[in-house]
Amino acid sequence: MSNFDHFTGTKAVSGQHLFELDVLAAYLTQHLEGFLGPLSVEMFKGGQSNPTYKLITPGKSYVMRAKPGPVAKLLPSAHAIEREFKVMSGLQGSEVPVPKMHCLCMDESIMGRAFYVMEFVEGRVLWDQSLPGMSKVQRGEIYNEMNRVISALHKVRFVDCGLSDYGKPGSYFERQIGRWSKQYAASVTQPIPEMDRLMEWLPASLPASARDDRMVSIVHGDYRLDNLMFHPTEPRVLAVLDWELSTLGHPLADFSYHCMGWHIPPGAFRGIGGLDIASLGIPSEADYIALYCQRTGIHTPEALQADWNFYLAYNLFRLAAILQGIAKRVEAGTASSAQAVASAAGAPQLARMAWDFALKSKI
């Protein structure tokens, strides 16, 4: 068994996520063109925020994403599956590969929570960022493809995709810092001193590039290796998944989040920090940044490097707040993964890392 077997494949639907299969089948018969039962269901192991199901019929499989419970029991603005549905619908036909969206149901009377159904894409999800078992050339190709897709996302003309109202223009970092500060405060189980320091330091330390409201793009919000579905044999992304945190925002926030993997050590957070990446054929962070800047034209590597510690501190703070939210859901009994407990325990570590980058940025 590999360290990531608990993330891969499907399992029987756990008790807290059971629903009436006949009711769902009746709904899909009415709302999903070509749907023909009988219907069976399995649950993907990997989801921690929004439970994700594989819907199986004799002729076709689908994927269903659902909120973990009724809206009344969830944190405000969390688990926004309706936003996932909207952005992936808008990106159909763009340079950003996404699954085909089938139907969205916000009526909680159907199965006790909102959900949507989309195309099932057959491919590979790669969980370990060191890409074991691959050659140096293959690893380089995978990282190049990740870079290509996030660059394509940040160049999408979102107005042309019907997504001009997908987020508020301007003051992205101020609003995000405020949002995650509130989410953290609502989710505290054990106080984390570094989070309190970061909530004061971040809004007071915004670099000029973070305040530049001319930089607006669709941001994924959780762009990383294991949220990409790769072709079964080729280094090609077939679908970008898990758009729950997406919005219109600052592309450098999105890209720097993606680059945290170069600083986070292997283990619970699946980073490559401390590994001999040159021997693995994985590009250095500096080379990866340069390639992104070349593809997007958004910034220069030199200018971005000057503000990089702020961006890393911000994103580690944000991720710590997200993991603290998982900790709260574990406490409340609504977390949807057996790995949620382990993930939630990582919030203090990430907060300490974030504060270290904040201190470096002052030097």
Side-chain angles (χ1 to χ4, degrees):
M1 179 174 176
S2 77
N3 291 335
F4 299 95
D5 284 352
H6 50 256
F7 290 121
T8 59
T10 58
K11 62 181 180 180
V13 179
S14 56
Q16 71 192 79
H17 298 295
L18 287 171
F19 55 88
E20 293 186 36
L21 208 55
D22 291 345
V23 173
L24 177 62
Y27 177 87
L28 295 178
T29 299
Q30 286 187 306
H31 295 90
L32 176 50
E33 183 178 355
F35 177 83
L36 186 63
L39 174 66
S40 61
V41 62
E42 298 169 352
M43 194 170 183
F44 288 99
K45 295 179 183 178
Q48 292 185 6
S49 179
N50 291 324
T52 308
Y53 306 84
K54 184 177 182 180
L55 306 181
I56 304 165
T57 71
K60 195 172 185 179
S61 292
Y62 307 88
V63 172
M64 180 175 74
R65 291 266 284 174
K67 291 180 185 274
V71 169
K73 293 186 177 181
L74 304 177
L75 289 172
S77 79
H79 313 287
I81 61 156
E82 62 276 19
R83 292 181 59 78
E84 287 191 320
F85 188 87
K86 177 171 180 156
V87 71
M88 285 190 279
S89 297
L91 287 170
Q92 299 293 322
S94 75
E95 293 294 315
V96 182
V98 289
K100 181 180 179 181
M101 298 291 103
H102 291 308
C103 58
L104 169 69
C105 177
M106 298 301 292
D107 181 357
E108 293 185 348
S109 69
I110 304 300
M111 52 176 280
R113 68 205 83 162
F115 65 92
Y116 70 83
V117 177
M118 64 182 172
E119 172 190 12
F120 173 74
V121 179
E122 191 73 59
R124 294 176 293 164
V125 174
L126 304 170
W127 291 93
D128 189 333
Q129 293 190 47
S130 68
L131 301 174
M134 292 189 183
S135 68
K136 291 178 68 172
V137 170
Q138 289 171 324
R139 293 188 186 102
E141 290 172 339
I142 291 290
Y143 273 78
N144 181 65
E145 175 70 352
M146 282 200 296
N147 189 289
R148 182 194 70 78
V149 172
I150 193 171
S151 299
L153 173 64
H154 293 165
K155 289 164 59 179
V156 164
R157 294 175 59 87
F158 54 84
V159 174
D160 296 343
C161 297
L163 295 169
S164 60
D165 62 346
Y166 194 60
K168 298 177 182 177
S171 304
Y172 177 75
F173 279 94
E174 293 93 330
R175 288 185 289 104
Q176 285 291 303
I177 292 166
R179 173 191 176 183
W180 292 110
S181 295
K182 290 176 183 176
Q183 293 279 52
Y184 168 73
S187 304
V188 172
T189 52
Q190 296 291 330
I192 303 174
E194 290 82 2
M195 291 296 281
D196 295 327
R197 295 174 195 149
L198 287 160
M199 286 189 287
E200 291 186 10
W201 181 84
L202 285 166
S205 306
L206 290 170
S209 59
R211 297 193 302 270
D212 187 348
D213 288 339
R214 294 170 299 175
M215 293 190 188
V216 181
S217 72
I218 301 171
V219 296
H220 180 275
D222 196 13
Y223 188 88
R224 60 178 195 247
L225 178 67
D226 53 276
N227 278 332
L228 305 176
M229 179 68 71
F230 280 85
H231 185 278
T233 58
E234 300 172 13
R236 178 162 56 90
V237 173
L238 299 180
V240 182
L241 306 172
D242 200 357
W243 293 82
E244 178 194 346
L245 297 173
S246 61
T247 188
L248 295 185
H250 200 299
L252 295 182
D254 211 26
F255 181 65
S256 55
Y257 173 88
H258 174 48
C259 289
M260 282 194 305
W262 273 263
H263 301 273
I264 294 174
F269 307 113
R270 305 190 290 280
I272 52 174
L275 299 182
D276 184 357
I277 59 175
S279 69
L280 293 171
I282 295 173
S284 68
E285 183 186 44
D287 287 345
Y288 198 78
I289 290 171
L291 186 58
Y292 170 82
C293 291
Q294 175 187 328
R295 280 174 161 151
T296 63
I298 287 174
H299 222 350
T300 66
E302 296 77 18
L304 188 50
Q305 191 62 47
D307 301 331
W308 200 238
N309 285 330
F310 169 84
Y311 288 119
L312 293 174
Y314 159 75
N315 275 303
L316 286 161
F317 161 79
R318 175 177 172 270
L319 185 54
I322 291 170
L323 294 188
Q324 189 59 46
I326 295 175
K328 190 68 172 180
R329 293 200 298 278
V330 168
E331 186 178 77
T334 60
S336 65
S337 169
Q339 298 307 308
V341 175
S343 293
Q349 179 185 347
L350 292 181
R352 287 191 292 271
M353 289 180 64
W355 185 241
D356 285 344
F357 278 112
L359 294 175
K360 289 178 187 176
S361 73
K362 296 179 182 179
I363 298 172

